[in-house]
Structures are given as C-alpha cells and as structure tokens.
Amino acid sequence: MQSLKKWLKYNWAHTQIRLVLILTLSVFLIILAVSLTSYYTSKSVLQEELSEPQRQMLQLNMSFIDELIKESDQVAIQVALNANVYQFLTGENQNSYSNISELYQLLTTLVGNSKYVKSIYVYDLQRGSFVAIPQGFSSSKLTFVDSDWVGVADEFGDKMTVIKKRKVPEGGSRSGSDLTLFRKINIQGQFKGIVAVNLKDEELFARLDPSLNNVNRMRYIVDERDEVLYSVSNYEFDQEAVRQALAALKEDNSGDITYQNRKLLVNQLKSPVTGWKYVSIVVQDSLLAKSKKVRDTVLLVSIAALALGGATIFYINAVAFRPVRRLRQLFSAYDRKESGAAGIDLEKLTDELLSNHAHLSRLVRETMSEASSKLLHDIYTGNLTGKRDIREKWNRYFSDWSDAPVSVTIVSIDRYEAWSRTYPDTDRSLLKFALANIMAELFEPEWRIVCADFGKDKTAVLLQPREPGASLERKLSEALEVAFNLLKFSVSAGVSTPQPDVNRLKQAMLEAENALAYRMYQGYGQVIPFHKVSEHEAKDPLPDGHTLEEMVNAIQAGDETATNEALDRIFRHLRAQYGYPSAVVSFLQDAVERLGQLRPAEEREAEPAYEQFETLHLDDMRQELDRGIAPLVERYRRLIESKDFIMCQRMIDYMKQHLGEPVGIPEIADSIGISSSLASQVFKQETGETIYNYLTQLRMDRAAELLLKTDSRISDIAVMVGYQHENSFIRIFRKYKDITPGKYRDMMRTRMDSPME
C-alpha cells in the first residue's frame, strides 16, 4: 500500500505524466460527452423539424379535401332542393319527359362544373326508382346497374350526410365511384329519397404526395370505421404498421413508435368536417442510423484516446529510471510513431463526423424551405392572422434572416389560360417550379429569397437584401428576361414597398397584387412597383350600361360596322380614362355575360370560353371579345332577313309592353294575327325557347331591375310583373335566378355599395 502511494505520488509529481494524464482525461470526457449527446440532440432536432412540416402538410391536405367535400355536399344540397327533384319524388308520373329532361340537364351541368364529381344519382326511397347522369331514368333498382348501395338509408340516423367507401359492381364502374357522398332528401319531414354524389377519389386525394427527398414515408386516410380510404407511400408498409400507428396515438397528436425494430415518426389529424383521420408515418431508421454511427464512432475514439493516454503514462513510467539519453530516444521514437499513425486515424474520424452532420443539416434546411413557403401561403389565404403566431413562425423558419425590410413580389404568367392550354398539368407544375428556381439562382447570393406557389398563374417571392443599396427592380427585370429566354413564355411581376415588420406581410402581398393588375395597361413581361401606381386616380367613370346596350343593339341589328365602332368607343374610353384594373375587368365580365344572353339556350353551353381577363393586356381583351361577337353579328344578320324573325320580334315587343298583365300564348298569338300553335312553332324555331319560358325570363329580368332600383315591396313587384300571388312569384324567381328576391336585393345592393379598389 505504501509502495502504491509512493508510486502515485511520484508519477503525479512528474510533469510529463501529470500533463498526459490531465490531457487524456479531458479529451476522454469531452469526446464521451459528444458521443452521448450528439445522437439524442440530432434525433430530437430531426424529429422536431420533421414533425412540424408533416403536420402542416397533413393540415393542408385535410383543409383542401374538406373544402372539396363541402363543395360536393353543396352540389348534393342543390340537387335535393331542386323543384324537379321534388316533382320526381312526389309526382304521380315520374317518367315525365319535361321533368326528367330538366333534371338530367341539371345533373349534367353540376357534374360538368365540378372537377371532382364523377356522377350523381337521385333515388326514390318509396318507389325504388332512379334518375342519374349518365344512365338517365330507371323505374326499378333491378334495372339500375349500380344500385347495391341503397341500404345506406339505414345508416343515416339523425345525420343528413353519409360519406363512405363502397364497392362498385361490374358494369357500374364507368359511372359509379369507390367513394360516394350520400345526402338524405326530406320532404315535409319525411325521408323520401337519397342523393348520391360519386366522387373522383384519385383526383380528390391527388395532393397526398409522399415524396420527401430520401425519406421513406406513408400518408393515408381512414374513415370513422377505421377503414383505409386512401393511402400513398414511397415505402412498403404493411397493414399491421398502420393498425399499430392508429392504436398508439390519440387524436391530434404525434409521437414515435417502434415496430419490427424500426423507428417510426407518426402524426395524426382528425377532420372536423368528415371525421376522417389523416395519418403520416415516417421511417427514421435511415436518418438515425447515421447519428448512431457517429455516436458509436466517437465513443470508440474516446476509448482509444483513454487507452492511448494510459499507454503513454505506462510508457513514460517504464522508462523513467533509464538513462536520460535512452529516455529521449524512446520519446523520439514515440513521437515519430504518434505522428505517423494515430493522427491520420483521428483526421478520418473527424471528417466522417463533419460529413454526417452536414448531411443532417442539409436535410433540415430543405424541410425548413417547405415550411417557410407554407407560412407565406397561410398568410396570403388568411389561415394565419395572429401577429404573435406570425412572429413566432417567422423566428423559427427565418432565423437566419436579418431585421432589414422585406419586399414581396407576385410573379404571374401572362395570358395564363392560353398558356395552360399549351401544356399538360404535369408540365405546368414543372415549369412553375423551374421559374421559382430561376428566381432563386439569380437573386442569390445578394438577396435572401423564399418562393411560394399561390396557385394558377401566381408565384410569390419574398426578398430581403443582404447588403444595403441592392436594386430590386433591376434584378427582377433581369430575372424575367432570363425566364423568357429559357422557358419561352413571358411573366409579369408586381412589387410591394419594403416592409420593416413581418406582421405587414399580408399588406405587402396585397400591394404586389394591386401593382400586378396594371399589367393590362403596361403590357406583358413588365416589373410594376406599387409606389408607381399607388397614387393612381381614375379620370372618368367607366362606360355605362347605355354604351354597352348600343353595342348589343348593333349586334341584334346584324350591323358589323356599327358593332365594331361601338366596341372601339368602349375600349378608347377604357384606355383614355385609365380606370382601376379591377373595375375594368368587372365591366368586361359583365359585357361577356350580356353577350351570352344573346345566344339561344341550346347554344349557350357551346359559347366560346373567354380567357381569364386578369392576366391579359387590354388589346388581348379586345381580341377576346371580337372572337365571341363576330358569330353573333352573323347570326342576327341572317335572322333579320327572315319573315319568321320579324314575327318573333313583334311577339317579343308585345310581351315587353304587357309584362304586368296576365297575358298568355293566345293573347300573344292574337297580337300578330296567327294561331297559338303556329306562334309557338315559329317562336321555338327562331329563338330556341318556348313563348312561356321567354315571357317568364322577361318578367324575372324586370323584377330583378325593380328589386335593385326601387324600394317596393316584393308583393307589389310580383303584381307589376304579372303575378297575383307572391309565393308563386318567389318560387319562379328562385328557379330562374337561383336565389330568393329578398336575398337578391340585399346581395346586389351590398355589391354596389362596396368600393372597387
């Protein structure tokens, strides 16, 4: 014992041994601490940075699908409340040609107007009959191919809507769907029928994209019965993993579980609209494996350092009693050995450690880029309005940005409708992605930049200069020119004023959109700063309804020269008075609707599809109107030359002069001296409408004008347009205008009172 104490005292007193011992223990403890903390730190950071974007993407997907479900439910409500559906469910003759035709036209229109509705069925619960698009009328479910779902009537209970996954029978796949929204039809408190809206599930769930760099993950949706409605994955997951993930989490929660020696990060959200659960599972093994390797390697290094220090101490102690020369020779040999072997191994281990951490850092940066774009989109759509929330997320996703003011640029594709017809959906997404990459490449490294896709033609770009004095307008002009040369289409940009406060990002986005709207005057491929248009005041009012009616009268007269002159006057006025872009677009949209009224009913669905005016220059807006007006002028020119047309015009004039009187087809026919049957035949042949429908439309248009321009009671207006009973007038007005008279008056007056800008 005494000899051991002397040995320790002697070695501690030896300067070289004491130094080696202190360095060895210090290096060992430091490396050991790094090995133990690096793994758990990197795991915690990785899970935190992965979990938040996963939840955000689930929330985004859930919100998108919930909105489409609500839209589909509105389609079902519109069908359930339709007068023709009421007649179908309550009338004695269900196979009425006129009722079935109008009902079929309604269903056709609703399906055609919705990208996500495949077909619509209406089922009579008592008589077992159907009317559907595209199958038509079927008097029995035995003859209706896709009728196995009618048992859903027992599942409604107190609910009005049931959404479920079902199996479509053979022969029904062309019109049926695996995912269907069922809505109950109650008439006078009794369960009379069901509306079945068959959804296009592949398009409905198209945004459930699992790709995230090299990360293996799965997203899926389960209904209230825990049945998987849809799943998408870039990795092989079995059903047991799905079941365990659901059992391991509570609602609106996240966490990690271990399944078959795999670490899974799970996030789950529950939809308040459908009750569906949206779940995301990410495999962490490939990511954590690198952290484990780093931990184990560093731990081995710490043990090696400790062993090397012990060997050094032993070596020094063993030779301490030898002659000084021999001791120096041994130390010289040790130094050569140390510099020739151990240093190289430590350098390799250090390089590997730094390389692994660099890979993890790059993965976190890419995830942060998605989250920052999502933040801009949430502010733009109004999903994030709280100043505290905006500031908190800004500090998290933009921690490397300074306090310098930021600017927002809205980049828009010129002539978007024509551009979208040129490229398929997949190419459009790639081109917008390429546009964002071009912007990012050109602005780096002088600017900090984040791009966010705002849908359709728009991409938002958030910019902050790294150094004072950088010219944003000059750089944007360069970027737009490069984009045109590389992508072969032009884009325009509206630029906001610099904002020092991130809580004013919404204001900056509105400024950029407002500036972008002046593309209609300044042309394509332009950079339009907000400060150059913010002081704009309209010189004169827009062309009034009289000017538009002059053009309409010229069209109805078949006078091409007068029509072009009227259109020239309108556009000269628009250019001269330099009105607000939103007001000009609204005026031209009204003109398009007015032109549509000049076409016969059977031609209205085939009328030319006008481009989105917001992305057009004023000259192209004129060309769009010319394209639709030319065939109208030619049609009316031919009609004027017809004797039957003159007779129809005389009948129409008589109807307009007697709107407030209880006139019918006999009185109208007598006004031109022909029989009722001949009058009906001529009128239908020339206008495509029946006399009764045309008279009713004139009365409803006159009623709409009285509702807007007078304060008369609805009952008095009903009498003014030839209806003795207020309820009959309200029912027919709603049929033609899709809104009650009272709500129409309130809505139109509110729109007229609101400012244009």
Side-chain angles (χ1 to χ4, degrees):
M1 188 66 178
Q2 292 295 328
S3 60
L4 179 61
K5 289 183 178 180
K6 290 181 179 180
W7 185 84
L8 292 175
K9 183 177 181 181
Y10 173 82
N11 281 278
W12 183 253
H14 196 286
T15 304
Q16 292 181 342
I17 294 177
R18 186 169 63 249
L19 179 60
V20 170
L21 181 60
I22 292 173
L23 290 176
T24 299
L25 291 176
S26 299
V27 171
F28 171 77
L29 293 175
I30 291 173
I31 299 178
L32 181 62
V34 170
S35 68
L36 295 177
T37 59
S38 62
Y39 172 74
Y40 295 100
T41 301
S42 61
K43 176 183 177 182
S44 177
V45 171
L46 181 64
Q47 288 184 345
E48 180 181 353
E49 298 302 330
L50 278 178
S51 181
E52 180 63 18
Q54 294 307 306
R55 289 180 65 83
Q56 290 181 352
M57 292 305 295
L58 283 179
Q59 182 66 51
L60 182 64
N61 292 331
M62 183 178 72
S63 300
F64 174 78
I65 294 174
D66 283 352
E67 286 299 318
L68 297 182
I69 292 296
K70 289 179 182 178
E71 291 179 12
S72 302
D73 190 39
Q74 288 299 315
V75 171
I77 292 173
Q78 189 173 353
V79 173
L81 297 179
N82 185 267
N84 293 308
V85 173
Y86 175 86
Q87 178 65 27
F88 174 76
L89 297 177
T90 60
E92 295 182 359
N93 180 18
Q94 281 195 318
N95 199 17
S96 168
Y97 174 79
S98 60
N99 187 61
I100 293 298
S101 297
E102 292 183 9
L103 184 52
Y104 190 85
Q105 183 177 5
L106 168 68
L107 300 182
T108 302
T109 301
L110 292 176
V111 172
N113 290 339
S114 176
K115 181 180 177 182
Y116 303 95
V117 176
K118 185 175 183 181
S119 60
I120 302 175
Y121 305 157
V122 179
Y123 172 59
D124 187 334
L125 199 61
Q126 295 181 348
R127 287 176 279 196
S129 56
F130 291 83
V131 62
I133 169 138
Q135 295 94 328
F137 172 78
S138 178
S139 61
S140 171
K141 63 183 180 181
L142 298 177
T143 59
F144 192 81
V145 176
D146 187 14
S147 63
D148 293 344
W149 53 267
V150 296
V152 77
D154 299 328
E155 299 179 21
F156 279 98
D158 295 330
K159 297 185 297 184
M160 291 297 295
T161 303
V162 172
I163 307 173
K164 63 180 297 184
K165 187 173 183 180
R166 65 188 185 89
K167 184 176 181 181
V168 181
E170 292 186 18
S173 58
R174 185 176 66 88
S175 58
S177 171
D178 292 340
L179 187 64
T180 304
L181 183 147
F182 301 99
R183 172 163 277 275
K184 181 190 298 185
I185 303 177
N186 286 336
I187 299 177
Q188 297 179 353
Q190 295 184 359
F191 188 9
K192 290 290 189 179
I194 299 174
V195 178
V197 179
N198 294 305
L199 303 175
K200 300 177 181 178
D201 53 353
E202 288 296 331
E203 296 184 14
L204 183 67
F205 300 131
R207 288 197 177 185
L208 215 64
D209 181 10
S211 60
L212 182 61
N213 300 326
N214 297 323
V215 178
N216 295 324
R217 77 178 186 182
M218 175 184 186
R219 286 183 183 159
Y220 58 91
I221 302 174
V222 295
D223 61 16
E224 296 173 308
R225 307 170 187 83
D226 287 339
E227 181 181 0
V228 177
L229 295 177
Y230 187 84
S231 66
V232 62
S233 171
N234 61 356
Y235 186 79
E236 186 66 25
F237 284 79
D238 56 24
Q239 291 299 317
E240 182 63 20
V242 175
R243 188 186 64 79
Q244 285 202 11
L246 285 174
L249 289 183
K250 297 179 180 179
E251 293 185 357
D252 295 333
N253 206 346
S254 64
D256 55 26
I257 64 173
T258 301
Y259 177 70
Q260 293 183 351
N261 296 324
R262 290 186 300 176
K263 291 288 187 179
L264 305 178
L265 179 62
V266 185
N267 285 276
Q268 174 182 285
L269 294 177
K270 185 174 181 180
S271 169
V273 176
T274 61
W276 297 347
K277 295 177 183 177
Y278 292 71
V279 184
S280 172
I281 302 178
V282 178
V283 177
Q284 305 177 81
D285 293 342
S286 61
L287 301 176
L288 295 179
K290 296 179 177 62
S291 297
K292 290 179 180 178
K293 184 177 181 181
V294 172
R295 179 197 63 189
D296 297 338
T297 302
V298 177
L299 183 59
L300 289 175
V301 171
S302 67
I303 296 174
L306 183 62
L308 182 62
T312 302
I313 294 174
F314 178 81
Y315 183 81
I316 293 174
N317 187 71
V319 300
F321 301 102
R322 295 184 182 183
V324 176
R325 182 180 297 176
R326 181 60 179 163
L327 182 63
R328 290 179 177 175
Q329 291 176 353
L330 292 174
F331 273 123
S332 298
Y334 171 75
D335 290 339
R336 290 194 297 271
K337 178 181 178 182
E338 182 75 8
S339 61
I344 297 175
D345 292 338
L346 289 174
E347 183 178 358
K348 288 174 62 179
L349 293 172
T350 304
D351 289 343
E352 183 177 356
L353 176 64
L354 293 175
S355 176
N356 288 331
H357 276 289
H359 175 74
L360 293 176
S361 298
R362 184 172 66 254
L363 181 62
V364 170
R365 284 197 302 271
E366 292 173 356
T367 305
M368 293 291 286
S369 176
E370 293 182 8
S372 58
S373 298
K374 176 67 166 51
L375 173 62
L376 297 182
H377 191 273
D378 285 345
I379 294 175
Y380 177 75
T381 57
N383 292 332
L384 187 64
T385 57
K387 293 183 178 180
R388 182 176 179 180
D389 292 340
I390 293 175
R391 174 64 66 179
E392 179 182 353
K393 290 183 180 294
W394 175 271
N395 292 336
R396 182 187 304 173
Y397 303 143
F398 297 84
S399 57
D400 58 336
W401 288 41
S402 68
D403 293 330
V406 296
S407 299
V408 173
T409 294
I410 302 294
V411 179
S412 170
I413 299 171
D414 299 325
R415 296 209 62 177
Y416 175 74
E417 297 293 337
W419 178 85
S420 62
R421 291 194 297 269
T422 305
Y423 303 99
D425 290 345
T426 53
D427 289 351
R428 293 201 293 267
S429 299
L430 289 174
L431 287 172
K432 291 192 71 177
F433 181 77
L435 176 62
N437 280 344
I438 290 172
M439 301 290 291
E441 289 291 332
L442 290 178
F443 275 91
E444 288 286 353
E446 299 177 358
W447 296 78
R448 299 181 180 91
I449 180 171
V450 168
C451 298
D453 188 353
F454 277 5
K456 291 189 176 180
D457 61 297
K458 294 179 182 176
T459 298
V461 183
L462 181 66
L463 295 159
Q464 184 186 68
R466 297 183 183 272
E467 298 293 338
S471 174
L472 176 56
E473 296 178 26
R474 178 186 58 78
K475 198 67 176 179
L476 267 176
S477 298
E478 178 186 347
L480 298 190
E481 182 177 357
V482 172
F484 177 79
N485 292 333
L486 294 178
L487 304 179
K488 306 306 179 185
F489 60 83
S490 67
V491 294
S492 299
V495 186
S496 74
T497 57
Q499 299 293 340
D501 186 0
V502 297
N503 286 311
R504 291 181 59 83
L505 281 178
K506 178 67 172 181
Q507 176 66 28
M509 294 174 184
L510 294 176
E511 288 181 358
E513 279 193 322
N514 188 292
L516 179 63
Y518 284 83
R519 161 176 48 192
M520 74 164 55
Y521 295 115
Q522 299 189 19
Y524 302 134
Q526 302 296 315
V527 175
I528 310 172
F530 177 74
H531 67 84
K532 291 185 179 180
V533 299
S534 59
E535 300 299 327
H536 167 225
E537 292 292 339
K539 300 177 183 178
D540 299 309
L542 288 172
D544 55 18
H546 177 71
T547 306
L548 186 58
E549 285 303 316
E550 287 183 356
M551 182 183 71
V552 171
N553 292 336
I555 293 173
Q556 291 177 325
D559 190 341
E560 182 179 0
T561 302
T563 300
N564 290 331
E565 290 175 354
L567 197 57
D568 287 339
R569 286 196 299 272
I570 290 175
F571 276 87
R572 280 200 302 269
H573 192 177
L574 292 177
R575 291 188 181 92
Q577 62 92 26
Y578 192 51
Y580 298 121
S582 60
V584 173
V585 170
S586 178
F587 171 80
L588 293 178
Q589 292 289 1
D590 290 341
V592 169
E593 293 179 6
R594 186 68 180 90
L595 292 175
Q597 296 172 2
L598 299 180
R599 294 182 175 84
E602 66 270 18
E603 295 181 8
R604 288 175 186 171
E605 290 186 2
E607 67 185 46
Y610 292 91
E611 289 200 20
Q612 180 181 350
F613 282 125
E614 286 82 358
T615 63
L616 296 181
H617 183 258
L618 209 56
D619 291 339
D620 286 332
M621 295 180 187
R622 166 65 189 271
Q623 292 180 10
E624 282 295 303
L625 289 178
D626 280 338
R627 185 169 59 88
I629 288 175
L632 281 176
V633 174
E634 177 63 21
R635 175 181 178 274
Y636 275 96
R637 185 187 63 78
R638 293 196 306 268
L639 288 176
I640 288 176
E641 298 172 357
S642 165
K643 175 182 177 181
D644 292 342
F645 173 79
I646 297 175
M647 296 173 64
C648 286
Q649 286 299 117
R650 289 174 59 192
M651 285 189 280
I652 292 172
D653 291 339
Y654 180 85
M655 284 186 268
K656 290 180 177 179
Q657 295 169 8
H658 298 82
L659 287 179
E661 301 175 15
V663 298
I665 296 177
E667 290 81 4
I668 296 172
D670 289 340
S671 69
I672 60 172
I674 62 176
S675 66
S676 298
S677 60
L678 180 58
S680 299
Q681 178 182 350
V682 170
F683 197 93
K684 179 69 174 179
Q685 175 182 328
E686 292 297 320
T687 67
E689 289 276 1
T690 65
I691 296 177
Y692 173 79
N693 286 343
Y694 197 95
L695 176 59
T696 304
Q697 184 64 58
L698 289 176
R699 285 173 168 166
M700 294 304 103
D701 291 342
R702 176 57 178 164
E705 182 181 1
L706 293 172
L707 286 168
L708 184 61
K709 295 183 178 180
T710 71
D711 293 323
S712 300
R713 294 182 303 176
I714 293 177
S715 59
D716 295 335
I717 292 176
V719 174
M720 294 179 191
V721 295
Y723 291 89
Q724 301 303 315
H725 299 289
E726 181 181 357
N727 289 339
S728 298
F729 165 70
I730 293 174
R731 178 173 56 81
I732 295 177
F733 188 94
R734 181 175 183 176
K735 176 181 177 181
Y736 277 78
K737 299 294 186 180
D738 289 329
I739 192 172
T740 62
K743 289 183 179 180
Y744 178 86
R745 170 180 277 171
D746 294 339
M747 180 186 70
M748 296 302 296
R749 289 187 173 179
T750 300
R751 181 180 297 178
M752 292 178 63
D753 293 339
S754 61
M756 291 183 179
E757 293 285 337

